[in-house]
Amino acid sequence: MGIQHWKKIWVGSAGNMVEWFDWFVYASFATYFAGAFFPSGNPTAQLMNTAGIFAVGFFMRPVGGWLLGRVGDRRGRKAALTLTVTLMSASAVLIAVAPTYAVAGYGGALVLLVARLLQGLSVGGEYAASATYLTEATDPKRRGFASSFQYVSMTVGQILGLGLQIVLQRTMSDSALHSYGWRIPFVVGALGAAVVFYLRRTMLESEVYDEDASAAEERGTLRALWRHRREAFLVIALTMGGTVAYYTYTTYLTKYLSNSAGLSKDTATLVSFTALIVFAAIQPLAGALSDRIGRRPLLITFAVGSTVLTVPIMTLLKHTGGYWPALGLSLLALVIVTGYTSINACVKAELFPTSVRSLGVALPYALANAVFGGTAEYIALWFKKAGIESGFFWYVAGCAAVSLIVYVTMRETKDRDLTGVRGAGGVGESRVTTAS
């Protein structure tokens, strides 16, 4: 892999990192600002309100997937990636300056909602543009390895957010964090996005995109995507279990350890921080393994592990008494999830031709995340409030079981030639051309 390829991976990943830093600090700092935008009362109800706004952001992702996926296919991956980071920067600024309930009543919550809608719009296009770019910008025999850096960068964004949270927890009082300290990460995110905007303005376009000769009027259109509807439905189905498990063990984990397992906020944050560092480190290893043995074995391993072990892991986590048991169980869960996260970007990109690849990944993936990923935390809190928290564990396991059926029946995509995909192939009809 040459210097230019590494440069493309770095620039794409750096932007993804900042995007997801902004996206996830909302979740990781929610316990501090939940009371700032809603009336005082039940802490769980306040968290449900902020989780509801978090979920609403996901429902903008299909819109972002359509609009920015179209930009990625018609204007290029570079144009889409530059636009997404601009939108994310604007949303971070809005959250940083949003007035509290004491100052503006529900006006602050409205500003928070608008910011989350912009974030949803941005991330809806960012995932596909990043997944497509990272998959196209490397040697065909190392696509799994290269595309794994998407989740490396996403996780590093979370790590930076959690790391900043740990620093603030150690240097600021609890009252200061609840009062104004929670605004600091959003200021940092906005500044980081400005830096990445410059990097993306100077990035190189994907050669696969430049070499595509499809008619301009057909690029990135819903009509073109409809001809590949079997692949689009496949993306939704294979995303279902993975996205629920991912958000359960990343964005929701800190709250679960704090609110249900009884760990202090500081300890819960440290568990998530440490586990995510290991999680990020093993993504390229799993991606490289998929380049050797294929994508399906890893996906099937994830689905079987998540179906069988989710209930025991979550149940044991609830009764952990300290840092080390919680860390061990969290790492076990994230190792299982790695079978999905390390390769899902390239698997989806490998299903579509160049002219509709960005939209083909963006729209169905965003739909799946809106329905399953964005609502995971809210559903978890709903089960908790209803007094049947274990019901959520079975929900996560059930989603993984559905995806398992898809993984078992789908065809391998490892050797697909990205410049030669033209026919429509679904779960049982994928046409795979060996890459040179």
Side-chain angles (χ1 to χ4, degrees):
M1 189 177 294
I3 295 176
Q4 289 298 330
H5 280 141
W6 277 112
K7 182 178 179 181
K8 291 177 181 179
I9 290 173
W10 159 243
V11 174
S13 297
N16 208 32
M17 176 184 67
V18 175
E19 291 261 18
W20 287 91
F21 170 88
D22 289 340
W23 182 259
F24 281 108
V25 290
Y26 179 98
S28 62
F29 277 84
T31 54
Y32 290 103
F33 67 73
F37 295 104
F38 300 99
S40 59
N42 189 326
T44 299
Q46 290 179 335
L47 278 176
M48 286 189 70
N49 285 328
T50 54
I53 292 179
F54 183 78
V56 167
F58 275 80
F59 285 94
M60 280 299 288
R61 291 177 70 163
V63 179
W66 170 54
L67 292 175
L68 297 172
R70 180 180 173 87
V71 171
D73 285 327
R74 297 181 72 87
R75 304 284 184 175
R77 319 311 187 201
K78 174 182 174 180
L81 287 168
T82 303
L83 181 55
T84 58
V85 78
T86 303
L87 293 173
M88 185 62 78
S89 178
S91 65
V93 171
L94 281 177
I95 297 177
V97 301
T100 64
Y101 181 82
V103 173
Y106 284 106
L110 180 61
V111 173
L112 190 65
L113 176 62
V114 171
R116 286 295 299 169
L117 292 177
L118 284 178
Q119 283 188 331
L121 187 70
S122 173
V123 177
E126 168 67 20
Y127 173 87
S130 178
T132 301
Y133 187 80
L134 289 173
T135 302
E136 292 178 345
T138 191
D139 186 292
K141 295 181 180 179
R142 305 197 69 181
R143 290 199 298 251
F145 173 78
S147 65
S148 71
F149 282 88
Q150 182 179 49
Y151 268 82
V152 172
S153 59
M154 288 170 61
T155 306
V156 168
Q158 294 180 73
I159 291 170
L160 292 175
L162 287 171
L164 180 57
Q165 185 174 14
I166 291 172
V167 171
L168 294 177
Q169 287 172 338
R170 298 291 190 274
T171 58
M172 299 181 69
S173 66
D174 192 65
S175 60
L177 276 172
H178 281 84
S179 176
Y180 66 89
W182 60 264
R183 298 182 187 271
I184 295 174
F186 297 103
V187 175
V188 172
L191 294 174
V195 174
V196 174
F197 176 80
Y198 170 76
L199 292 175
R200 287 188 164 177
R201 285 290 300 272
T202 60
M203 71 190 293
L204 299 174
E205 184 58 85
S206 157
E207 291 93 341
V208 173
Y209 178 84
D210 283 338
E211 292 173 2
D212 185 65
S214 300
E217 62 272 12
E218 288 293 309
R219 300 182 74 98
T221 63
L222 292 176
R223 181 172 62 254
L225 178 60
W226 182 249
R227 290 199 291 270
H228 299 274
R229 56 191 176 276
R230 294 176 67 90
E231 289 90 340
F233 286 118
L234 179 58
V235 169
I236 293 175
L238 67 86
T239 299
M240 177 182 178
T243 191
V244 171
Y246 176 73
Y247 283 101
T248 296
Y249 295 121
T250 55
T251 59
Y252 180 62
L253 181 65
T254 305
K255 297 183 185 65
Y256 180 71
L257 292 175
S258 177
N259 295 334
S260 297
L263 299 182
S264 67
K265 288 181 181 179
D266 290 9
T267 302
T269 301
L270 188 59
V271 168
S272 295
F273 180 77
T274 309
L276 287 173
I277 289 176
V278 178
F279 179 66
I282 63 177
Q283 299 304 301
L285 300 178
L289 179 62
S290 78
D291 287 327
R292 298 180 66 87
I293 67 174
R295 322 295 188 211
R296 290 179 65 249
L298 272 71
L299 290 171
I300 292 172
T301 299
F302 150 71
V304 171
S306 190
T307 300
V308 175
L309 296 178
T310 292
V311 175
I313 289 174
M314 294 296 287
T315 301
L316 289 172
L317 274 173
K318 188 174 182 178
H319 297 93
T320 56
Y323 170 80
W324 289 108
L327 177 62
L329 289 168
S330 300
L331 286 175
L332 174 60
L334 288 173
V335 168
I336 294 171
V337 174
T338 295
Y340 167 80
T341 56
S342 61
I343 58 171
N344 83 95
C346 66
V347 169
K348 294 163 189 171
E350 287 166 345
L351 292 172
F352 297 95
T354 303
S355 61
V356 75
R357 184 169 294 129
S358 186
L359 179 62
V361 175
L363 185 55
Y365 173 79
L367 287 169
N369 263 275
V371 176
F372 301 107
T375 59
E377 182 179 338
Y378 192 85
I379 290 173
L381 291 170
W382 182 87
F383 273 113
K384 178 178 174 60
K385 190 175 183 180
I388 48 174
E389 191 168 30
S390 61
F392 176 68
F393 312 160
W394 290 101
Y395 169 74
V396 177
C399 290
V402 173
S403 287
L404 175 60
I405 298 172
V406 178
Y407 302 153
V408 170
T409 56
M410 70 180 287
R411 292 200 176 179
E412 183 58 64
T413 63
K414 177 175 75 73
D415 294 323
R416 187 181 293 265
D417 180 2
L418 295 185
T419 63
V421 182
R422 288 292 181 266
V427 174
E429 297 183 358
S430 296
R431 295 179 174 88
V432 179
T433 304
T434 302
S436 57

